[in-house]
Amino acid sequence: MAGGGGPAARAGGPGPAGGRPLIITEDPLLLDDLLRLCAAAGAEPHVHHAVPEQSGAGGDPGGGSEAAAPRGGVGWESAPLVLVGDDAARRVRGAPRRPGVFLVGRDLDDPFVWQRAVELGAEEVLRLPDAENRLVDRLADVVEGAGRPALTVGVIGGSGGAGASTLACALALRAARAGERTILIDGDPLGGGMDVLLGGEGAEGLRWPDFAASRGRVGAGALEESLPELHALRVLSWDRGDRVVVPPAAMRSVVAAARRRGGVVVVDLPRRVDEAVAEVLAQLDLVLLVVPGELRSVAAAGRVAAGVRMVARDVRVVVRGRCRQGLDAEGVAGLLGAPLAGEVPVEVGLPGRVAEGEPPGARGALARFCDGFWQRALGPAQGVPA
């Protein structure tokens, strides 16, 4: 993936899979905080109060021999997550480098904390209480066995009637038919409902209004199981009520839960970037901007792209239909200052087939485009070539 921010650059999960998180600290107040957060995440940690000077030395007053020997013993290297109290940072800075190490402290004014984090090889500095939600999320990832997050693709129309919802639906359908665990999220409350587009408006399962009160972490497995299953994929859509707003915190929690399940997540986005949409954009690996090949649509898409780029890491252009007024697909992408992801021809008979109950992407040119996209995105390189 060009640009360094797409699927190729997705961060992996925590360190070695399985096991319990390891806490290393002698600070009783910090330990109390960390144990409380572990309990909130459903994680049972190993605790090592005093760091031994020699590998394998010392006991494990908090949780057994697995926690011992942070200078190379099995506790340090096998724990899926290591939380090092700021008080213990200097004593473990010679430990082998590994992913999933976090430096945790409560002094928000310490100017040398970043230097200690670098010496330790920590992924992040988590300062409590501000970072409590972030830490609970990471601890819960350990409990859920979270690995590589889902390849998460947003689709947004550059102009009205661009066909973004149809493309989002087709992408999700083709990913599911390729054997990927797939969740399709309808992020546009005024779009008519992705469940309707898939012919499943009456299917049992939760819709967005059911998640509107979510503030903390949403369980990934519980989310997937609660959603309607249509054409081998899970769909989070809107109901037929009058609610058109989901708070940003709820949007962030739900999308994060979908990503933790792995596989593929496709999000249909509205053209207006508000605070809730920004929460989604921040979690996407790639945004596909769907643009009809005409000047007026390109002008409108430029305004949409400007808002999306303020948050999204990687934006690509999909040109829909035959270009007019002397344009070609590369020219459209060039005018918008974004790489071209491909061209999708207009299928004359597609609306009629959808009206008869056939989901978008079941066959035809749209299906072939989506299959090619996923072959590139989910291939060995884990990226979509520019």
Side-chain angles (χ1 to χ4, degrees):
M1 174 72 68
R10 288 184 295 150
R20 294 154 55 185
L22 171 63
I23 297 174
I24 302 175
T25 182
E26 294 179 342
D27 183 338
L29 295 179
L30 178 60
L31 179 59
D32 284 346
D33 283 338
L34 294 178
L35 291 176
R36 171 176 56 83
L37 297 175
C38 284
E44 183 180 357
H46 289 296
V47 178
H48 196 87
H49 298 290
V51 180
E53 291 300 322
Q54 301 296 324
S55 177
D60 177 18
S65 61
E66 272 290 309
R71 291 185 182 275
V74 293
W76 176 268
E77 295 182 349
S78 67
L81 194 73
V82 179
L83 305 178
V84 179
D86 192 40
D87 63 290
R90 289 187 177 89
R91 294 190 297 278
V92 299
R93 62 187 176 187
R97 296 298 175 101
R98 52 151 292 171
V101 175
F102 295 82
L103 182 62
V104 187
R106 294 159 61 240
D107 184 357
L108 302 181
D109 299 318
D110 183 355
F112 300 106
V113 65
W114 302 108
Q115 178 180 343
R116 292 194 292 277
V118 171
E119 293 172 348
L120 183 62
E123 286 187 13
E124 291 185 45
V125 174
L126 301 176
R127 301 190 184 195
L128 305 182
D130 292 357
E132 285 193 357
N133 289 339
R134 166 68 174 155
L135 182 50
V136 169
D137 278 349
R138 291 306 300 261
L139 288 166
D141 284 344
V142 172
V143 175
E144 292 184 358
R148 194 173 185 85
L151 172 55
T152 309
V153 178
V155 185
I156 187 169
S159 63
S165 296
T166 299
L167 178 58
C169 187
L171 283 168
L173 180 73
R174 301 311 297 186
R177 291 192 175 182
E180 295 290 332
R181 170 186 278 141
T182 305
I183 296 180
L184 173 61
I185 297 177
D186 187 352
D188 186 357
L190 303 180
M194 298 299 283
D195 54 351
V196 176
L197 194 56
L198 287 166
E201 59 270 27
E204 294 185 0
L206 301 185
R207 266 68 173 181
W208 265 121
D210 298 305
F211 296 97
S214 300
R215 292 294 184 273
R217 182 185 177 94
V218 174
L223 171 69
E224 183 178 28
E225 293 171 5
S226 72
L227 299 178
E229 184 174 4
L230 304 170
H231 304 283
L233 60 96
R234 298 285 181 166
V235 182
L236 176 54
S237 189
W238 300 83
D239 63 7
R240 311 285 80 84
D242 56 2
R243 175 181 282 276
V244 295
V245 175
V246 171
M251 189 74 77
R252 176 177 63 249
S253 296
V254 169
V255 174
R259 295 185 70 243
R260 287 197 305 273
R261 255 334 234 180
V264 165
V265 175
V266 179
V267 186
D268 181 42
L269 296 165
R271 293 171 58 209
R272 181 175 179 178
V273 180
D274 58 16
E275 189 176 353
V277 174
E279 291 287 358
V280 180
L281 288 170
Q283 299 190 59
L284 298 179
D285 295 301
L286 173 67
V287 178
L288 297 178
L289 179 65
V290 186
V291 186
E294 56 186 15
L295 283 175
R296 185 177 180 186
S297 296
V298 174
R303 292 188 289 272
V304 175
V308 171
R309 283 198 187 97
M310 293 178 66
V311 186
R313 293 171 290 179
D314 193 345
V315 181
R316 308 241 173 154
V317 174
V318 174
V319 176
R320 180 172 178 265
R322 181 174 298 178
C323 292
R324 305 172 186 174
Q325 299 162 306
L327 294 174
D328 59 20
E330 290 286 355
V332 170
L335 289 172
L336 294 171
L340 178 66
E343 303 175 62
V344 178
V346 173
E347 293 186 57
V348 176
L350 180 59
R353 298 202 304 269
V354 171
E356 294 173 357
E358 179 181 295
R363 56 192 169 103
L366 182 58
R368 290 190 292 273
F369 171 86
C370 294
D371 287 346
F373 174 85
W374 291 125
Q375 286 169 9
R376 297 189 298 272
L378 299 170
Q382 287 292 312
V384 181

